[in-house]
């Protein structure tokens, strides 16, 4: 059994799940931060548990590829993304007369949407660690 050491990894995850009459193969990728040594099989299970609600109950991992990265941890990236969204929102507010007068601004809608997503990830940053 292979162990995964603490660190931040880019991952590629290939899964299969039953469709109506055949098995369907899908891939997922992303970044994961491991806080404590964990068996690779257990890590794959944790990652697929997060996908289960989206794809169905019978997900099977066919491949898990981990590539160590020297970039920020998942929690650190959540903080960076949140700060970037605040910076973009502040810049827009400084230049938008409608926003300064607390009126509706169509251009602010996507900015606020991304700010809300970043705030949610920021507030959950410790739970993003495996």
């Amino acid at each position: 059994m292979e162990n995964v050491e603490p660190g931040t990894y880019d991952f590629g995850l290939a899964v299969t799940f039953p469709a109506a009459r055949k098995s369907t193969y899908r891939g997922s990728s992303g970044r994961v931060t491991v806080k404590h040594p964990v068996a690779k099989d257990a890590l794959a299970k944790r990652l697929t548990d997060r996908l289960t609600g989206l794809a169905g109950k019978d997900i099977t991992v066919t491949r898990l590829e981990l590539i160590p990265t020297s970039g920020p941890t998942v929690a650190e990236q959540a903080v960076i993304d949140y700060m970037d969204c605040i910076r973009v929102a502040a810049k827009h507010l400084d230049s938008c007369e409608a926003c300064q007068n607390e009126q509706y601004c169509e251009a602010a809608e996507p900015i606020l949407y991304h700010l809300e997503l970043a705030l949610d990830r920021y507030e959950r940053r410790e739970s993003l660690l495996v």
Side-chain angles (χ1 to χ4, degrees):
M1 183 180 304
E2 184 180 348
N3 279 336
V4 178
E5 293 302 315
T8 299
Y9 299 87
D10 289 329
F11 71 86
L13 182 68
V15 297
T16 180
F17 58 94
R21 293 192 178 151
K22 61 182 179 177
S23 289
T24 304
Y25 296 92
R26 297 278 189 247
S28 179
S29 63
R31 180 170 285 179
V32 64
T33 298
V34 178
K35 288 171 44 174
H36 305 287
V38 63
K40 192 172 183 179
D41 293 342
L43 178 60
K45 170 105 174 74
R46 290 181 191 175
L47 292 171
T48 56
D49 285 348
R50 293 186 180 206
L51 297 173
T52 298
L54 299 172
K57 295 181 181 177
D58 299 321
I59 295 176
T60 305
V61 175
T62 57
R63 180 185 55 82
L64 173 59
E65 180 180 327
L66 296 169
I67 303 163
T69 181
S70 61
T73 67
V74 174
E76 292 168 342
Q77 189 62 50
V79 173
I80 293 167
D81 292 345
Y82 181 54
M83 297 305 291
D84 286 344
C85 285
I86 289 173
R87 194 172 10 265
V88 168
K91 183 176 179 182
H92 175 77
L93 181 62
D94 287 344
S95 64
C96 179
E97 189 174 321
C99 289
Q100 290 171 4
N101 294 323
E102 298 182 12
Q103 297 173 350
Y104 175 76
C105 172
E106 187 175 338
E109 289 294 321
I111 295 170
L112 293 174
Y113 174 76
H114 289 290
L115 183 62
E116 288 173 6
L117 290 178
L119 176 60
D120 181 56
R121 282 184 54 87
Y122 174 77
E123 291 173 343
R124 295 182 304 116
R125 67 187 176 278
E126 286 304 314
S127 70
L128 297 173
L129 305 175
V130 178

